[in-house]
Amino acid sequence: MYKIVKKRDLAPNIFEMDILAPRVANSAQPGQFVIVIADEEGERIPLTICDYDKEEGTVSIVVQAMGCSTKKMAAYNEGDYFKDFVGPLGQPSEYVNEDIEEVKKKKVLFVAGGVGAAPVYPQVRWFHENGIDVDVIVGAKTKDLIILEDKIKNVAGNLYIATDDGSYGFNGMVTGLIEDLVKNQGKKYDLVISIGPMIMMKFVCLLTKKLGIKTIVSLNPIMVDGTGMCGACRVSVGNETKFACVDGPEFDGHLVDFDEALKRQTQYKSEENILNEKREGHVCRCQQQGGAK
Ligand code: NAD
Ligand code: FES
């Protein structure tokens, strides 16, 4: 059992939880993820790691209450326990194992969309701890949905905000802000690391391909076991089939078949909708089983 030692609201329906999981915290590296199982009947929910504290033995996760299982997780409070907390899973980010002197030569831009700001934070912190300033873009639909702004600002060289409705920062999507930085403000980048909704990563990659900037994306396809056994998370990268859970989750974005990945992501939408409709009618499976703690 894994204790929730802290829970914070970040934005409407988005919250951060610190989980006591010393072994996971001790070996976590930027780019990796965990699978959380709330209770005996819970689904396996893959979540990117938002932070880890090796001394406290805690790992932070950010959950957006969207589907039946994440809404159920949202009902857990400080002092409650999750049944399982498996990780760290997946490969660490590429730069972690590169020669640090080579990494220092690169101008890096992180592009986070919505909840994607959470997995971007430990990566930006890694660069900061290694004495490297990176630029960061955080985009969201509106000001209220920008998360972790202060935390990221503390470790980023420059933080740029974009909102789709223009309520805060740049008026437009993250792709508009990338173009503005590169074309109007003379910024030069050797590497873009983009994490957020699949559709955002697709359009970031289309743009950076035109701009000639290498781009890494963190894919979040449907996952089941998270250990390379079931094949649910398969994606096509450079005409090869890869499993996001063991080969990724980070890949060269210019090689990813995003259209196929987007199609696979919606494969179970109708089942999810039925489950949510049942939930509205108070017969959701997790409620039938006694509800959240
Ligand atoms: P969102 O839909 O509000 O989008 C966030 C930002 O992405 C927008 O403000 C915009 O700047 C940009 N964006 C969106 N569509 C775009 C497009 N077509 N072209 C250019 N830019 C675009 O984000 P949200 O509601 O927070 O997204 C939640 C999604 O993010 C979920 O599906 C979740 O699974 C996913 N997510 C992915 C990861 C990951 O590891 N890749 C991590 C966390 C969340
Ligand atoms: Fe089963 Fe990746 S989630 S192979």
Side-chain angles (χ1 to χ4, degrees), residues 29-32 91-98 123 193 216 250:
Q29 298 199 70
Q32 293 185 297
Q91 302 297 323
S93 302
E94 201 176 71
Y95 55 78
V96 170
N97 296 314
E98 279 176 13
Q123 302 214 26
I193 300 172
I216 299 293
E250 296 189 348

Side-chain angles (χ1 to χ4, degrees), residues 93 95 108-112 120 123 127 191-195 204 214-218 250:
S93 302
Y95 55 78
V108 181
L109 171 67
F110 281 90
V111 181
V120 154
Q123 302 214 26
F127 277 90
L191 177 66
V192 166
I193 300 172
S194 179
I195 309 182
V204 167
K214 179 180 171 173
T215 299
I216 299 293
V217 293
S218 178
E250 296 189 348

Side-chain angles (χ1 to χ4, degrees), residues 32-268:
Q32 293 185 297
F33 67 97
V34 291
I35 285 187
V36 183
I37 303 169
D39 62 18
E40 289 294 333
E41 310 296 336
E43 278 184 86
R44 300 166 70 87
I45 310 289
L47 293 167
T48 28
I49 294 171
C50 172
D51 204 356
Y52 45 89
D53 185 326
K54 293 183 197 293
E55 282 177 16
E56 297 286 324
T58 55
V59 177
S60 309
I61 51 172
V62 168
V63 182
Q64 186 171 28
M66 287 170 81
C68 189
S69 295
T70 46
K71 284 179 184 164
K72 181 177 171 179
M73 280 178 77
Y76 280 68
N77 287 309
E78 283 178 15
D80 289 340
Y81 290 80
F82 288 134
K83 180 183 173 292
D84 271 315
F85 193 81
V86 186
L89 298 169
Q91 302 297 323
S93 302
E94 201 176 71
Y95 55 78
V96 170
N97 296 314
E98 279 176 13
D99 177 353
I100 191 69
E101 295 309 318
E102 291 304 311
V103 180
K104 281 182 178 171
K105 289 179 191 160
K106 293 179 189 166
K107 290 261 172 261
V108 181
L109 171 67
F110 281 90
V111 181
V115 186
V120 154
Y121 169 72
Q123 302 214 26
V124 178
R125 193 184 71 176
W126 184 92
F127 277 90
H128 180 71
E129 285 169 353
N130 282 283
I132 307 168
D133 274 349
V134 297
D135 284 359
V136 183
I137 291 176
V138 174
K141 289 188 184 79
T142 189
K143 187 179 179 188
D144 290 350
L145 294 174
I146 296 285
I147 61 165
L148 304 172
E149 181 183 356
D150 290 341
K151 237 176 140 171
I152 295 175
K153 199 185 270 174
N154 283 339
V155 290
N158 296 295
L159 171 63
Y160 304 94
I161 303 284
T163 49
D164 301 3
D165 65 359
S167 54
Y168 189 33
F170 179 85
N171 185 351
M173 293 194 177
V174 293
T175 38
L177 184 46
I178 299 171
E179 278 198 295
D180 185 54
L181 290 176
V182 173
K183 292 183 177 167
N184 303 331
Q185 300 192 41
K187 289 275 189 174
K188 288 190 169 39
Y189 297 107
D190 304 302
L191 177 66
V192 166
I193 300 172
S194 179
I195 309 182
M198 194 79 83
I199 189 75
M200 177 200 91
M201 295 188 285
K202 172 184 168 170
F203 281 97
V204 167
C205 287
L206 287 172
L207 174 63
T208 55
K209 203 166 187 178
K210 273 198 279 178
L211 297 171
I213 310 171
K214 179 180 171 173
T215 299
I216 299 293
V217 293
S218 178
L219 298 184
N220 61 327
I222 290 163
M223 286 191 189
V224 180
D225 65 315
T227 59
M229 301 296 284
C230 71
C233 67
R234 65 184 180 275
V235 286
S236 297
V237 182
N239 294 324
E240 279 183 63
T241 298
K242 298 280 185 188
F243 290 168
C245 67
V246 286
D247 299 320
E250 296 189 348
F251 295 102
D252 181 337
H254 294 162
L255 298 179
V256 171
D257 183 339
F258 279 106
D259 293 332
E260 181 195 69
L262 280 158
K263 210 165 145 195
R264 282 184 60 79
Q265 218 178 27
T266 55
Q267 214 167 5
Y268 298 103

